């Protein structure tokens, strides 16, 4: 929950960085903490089930305060989750329709090598919530886990059809993309050069404009 390193970098290089930080929702003053962090370039708050457990990560007064405050401040609730957590996020989006939500790294669909239709259906179902966006990233970790990552093309197309490119964003997943033979250039080239269903406007949204809208316009 210590965001000081990121805050320092954003302050030192003004205009270059926005931050996805973390807060402890079990401590008092969640709303004020979020508002204070927003003044320090924290435009996203990461939440994940791996700290408190899959049964409890979206429960408690602090969690409710976090989602309510995000609707007010415009800060994004950034969900680093597994496919099994998608139904829970869907319920939260129904309860807090004005809260911006980012799903990180395809909701880890395909992490075991299998891209299941049921998982992808659950992710695409979130498109009905207009403030949900998805990071299509971390290609080294999903499907065949090997460049040029063309086996992920069908999943990306399905997400484009559901969300539109204006609600999808590429991400570097620094430094984890540098695993084995995987490189940053291979990751970005999947979007730039390898997917023939993407036009130039689509690529501009996925590689730049969506992230600008989601994290830099607050």
């Amino acid at each position: 929950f210590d965001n000081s390193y990121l805050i320092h970098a954003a302050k030192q290089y003004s205009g270059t960085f926005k931050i996805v930080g973390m807060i402890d929702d079990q401590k008092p003053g969640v709303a004020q903490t979020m508002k204070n962090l927003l003044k320090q370039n924290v435009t996203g708050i990461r939440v994940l089930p791996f700290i408190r457990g899959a049964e409890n990560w979206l429960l408690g007064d602090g969690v409710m305060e976090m989602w309510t405050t995000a609707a007010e401040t415009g800060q994004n609730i950034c969900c680093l989750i597994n496919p099994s957590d998608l139904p829970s996020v869907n319920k939260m989006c129904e309860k807090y329709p004005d809260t911006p939500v980012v799903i990180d790294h395809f909701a880890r669909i395909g992490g075991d090598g299998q891209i299941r239709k049921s998982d992808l259906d659950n992710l695409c179902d979130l498109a009905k919530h207009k403030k949900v966006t998805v990071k299509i990233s971390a290609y080294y970790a999903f499907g065949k886990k090997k460049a040029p990552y063309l086996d992920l093309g069908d999943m990306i197309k399905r997400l484009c059809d559901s969300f539109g490119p204006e609600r999808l964003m590429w991400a570097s997943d620094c430094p984890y993309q540098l695993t084995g033979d995987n490189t940053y250039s291979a990751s970005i080239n999947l979007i730039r050069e390898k997917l023939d269903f993407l036009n130039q406007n689509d690529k501009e949204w996925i590689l730049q404009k969506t992230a600008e809208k989601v994290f830099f316009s607050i």
Side-chain angles (χ1 to χ4, degrees):
F1 302 120
D2 182 357
N3 303 293
S4 57
Y5 176 80
L6 304 175
I7 289 170
H8 174 79
K11 182 177 180 181
Q12 184 173 0
Y13 301 98
S14 179
T16 300
F17 297 113
K18 295 293 183 179
I19 298 166
V20 176
M22 288 188 67
I23 64 172
D24 187 348
D25 60 77
Q26 295 186 303
K27 289 186 176 181
V30 167
Q32 192 57 53
T33 298
M34 290 176 63
K35 292 174 182 178
N36 291 342
L37 288 173
L38 179 58
K39 296 175 183 177
Q40 301 175 86
N41 292 297
V42 178
T43 57
I45 305 294
R46 172 162 276 180
V47 296
L48 62 167
F50 317 118
I51 292 179
R52 294 177 55 195
E55 300 297 323
N56 301 312
W57 73 290
L58 289 175
L59 299 178
D61 292 341
V63 173
M64 305 303 121
E65 188 176 356
M66 184 189 301
W67 283 69
T68 300
T69 303
E72 175 187 345
T73 63
Q75 287 163 296
N76 299 275
I77 301 297
C78 300
C79 302
L80 182 61
I81 58 175
N82 289 323
S84 59
D85 302 308
L86 285 165
S88 297
V89 174
N90 189 21
K91 291 179 181 178
M92 292 296 282
C93 291
E94 290 173 351
K95 187 174 182 178
Y96 300 97
D98 295 324
T99 299
V101 173
V102 175
I103 304 299
D104 288 330
H105 310 320
F106 297 105
R108 293 179 165 178
I109 291 173
D112 61 356
Q114 302 296 317
I115 300 175
R116 296 175 177 82
K117 182 179 181 298
S118 57
D119 292 337
L120 193 52
D121 287 344
N122 285 337
L123 178 54
C124 290
D125 190 44
L126 294 180
K128 66 189 178 187
H129 305 295
K130 300 305 181 184
K131 293 206 170 185
V132 174
T133 55
V134 180
K135 285 184 184 176
I136 53 171
S137 46
Y139 309 135
Y140 68 91
F142 307 123
K144 295 180 180 178
K145 307 180 182 182
K146 184 177 180 180
Y149 317 115
L150 296 178
D151 58 302
L152 302 179
D154 288 344
M155 178 163 63
I156 294 173
K157 187 177 188 307
R158 174 84 187 277
L159 291 170
C160 279
D161 291 341
S162 298
F163 287 87
E166 300 86 355
R167 294 167 63 192
L168 303 178
M169 66 185 104
W170 179 87
S172 66
D173 201 24
C174 171
Y176 306 107
Q177 174 65 28
L178 302 180
T179 303
D181 294 330
N182 297 287
T183 64
Y184 293 133
S185 60
S187 176
I188 201 168
N189 281 343
L190 177 64
I191 303 301
R192 280 182 172 168
E193 300 177 2
K194 303 297 184 181
L195 301 178
D196 58 11
F197 57 86
L198 297 177
N199 61 38
Q200 185 59 35
N201 184 61
D202 297 338
K203 296 174 186 179
E204 288 176 3
W205 275 103
I206 293 171
L207 294 174
Q208 176 182 345
K209 291 182 179 179
T210 303
E212 285 181 339
K213 178 182 68 174
V214 170
F215 292 113
F216 283 80
S217 64
I218 303 172

